[in-house]
Amino acid sequence: LWPLPRQFTAGNSTLRLSNSFSFDLGSLQGCPQDLEDATARALDLLTSDQLAPLIPDRGASIDASSSPELGFLVLSLSDGANASSISDESTKKVEDRSEGYTLVIPEDGSNATLTANSTLGLYRGLTTFGQLWYTSNGQTYAMQVPFQADDEPAYVSD
């Protein structure tokens, strides 16, 4: 992961990405178009990048076929947060931005969750989520589940 989240825990189980995997934006009232576009790009990368782990056989020895499958990543904003566009959030003064997020990926295949105080935080969490997945032997999988990250920018503002 780059950059490393401020706090994270990672297990050693494998989880497959379902062939019908999707992002669930249902709880976001008035979901901005740029967030919908970001999830579409993230889904495209997950299904087309063909990233392999940096191990000698590039993941050929990993058999995730019997691992549970992840079907959804549910994106939601914290109570009271406004669903303004990522673009609007990213142009705020640094001290006014909220980029933190919590990403939870269970190992049993139940829904993963991404929660943030802003759409910019959701965008940052999507980036982290995308870095966890590899493809080998026709399977897209994560090797470090269960996974939980609680992240926010490392810089301090006054």
Side-chain angles (χ1 to χ4, degrees):
L1 295 174
W2 184 256
L4 280 177
R6 283 191 158 211
Q7 296 178 350
F8 74 97
T9 57
N12 57 9
S13 295
T14 305
L15 181 68
R16 287 182 297 147
L17 197 67
S18 170
N19 290 333
S20 60
F21 174 82
S22 65
F23 295 101
D24 181 350
L25 301 168
S27 69
L28 296 174
Q29 299 297 324
C31 183
Q33 185 62 49
D34 59 357
L35 180 58
E36 288 183 26
D37 294 344
T39 58
R41 282 190 308 276
L43 184 58
D44 183 54
L45 288 173
L46 285 169
T47 57
S48 66
D49 258 6
Q50 305 294 306
L51 294 176
L54 284 174
I55 56 178
D57 68 0
R58 304 294 284 162
S61 62
I62 297 171
D63 180 11
S65 62
S66 62
S67 300
E69 284 189 342
L70 179 64
F72 293 97
L73 173 60
V74 179
L75 285 77
S76 61
L77 290 171
S78 302
D79 288 340
N82 188 10
S84 60
S85 74
I86 297 168
S87 167
D88 288 346
E89 291 293 330
S90 65
T91 57
K92 289 181 178 178
K93 290 190 231 180
V94 172
E95 59 270 14
D96 294 335
R97 289 183 202 160
S98 178
E99 299 181 49
Y101 65 88
T102 299
L103 172 63
V104 177
I105 304 173
E107 66 184 321
D108 63 1
S110 57
N111 292 345
T113 59
L114 174 58
T115 307
N117 288 325
S118 73
T119 54
L120 183 57
L122 292 174
Y123 180 73
R124 301 292 187 226
L126 276 174
T127 303
T128 299
F129 181 78
Q131 293 180 49
L132 297 170
W133 301 92
Y134 303 105
T135 302
S136 181
N137 302 320
Q139 300 172 65
T140 301
Y141 60 91
M143 297 187 299
Q144 297 180 310
V145 294
F147 179 88
Q148 178 168 343
D150 294 295
D151 198 17
E152 61 186 358
Y155 55 80
V156 179
S157 61
D158 293 333

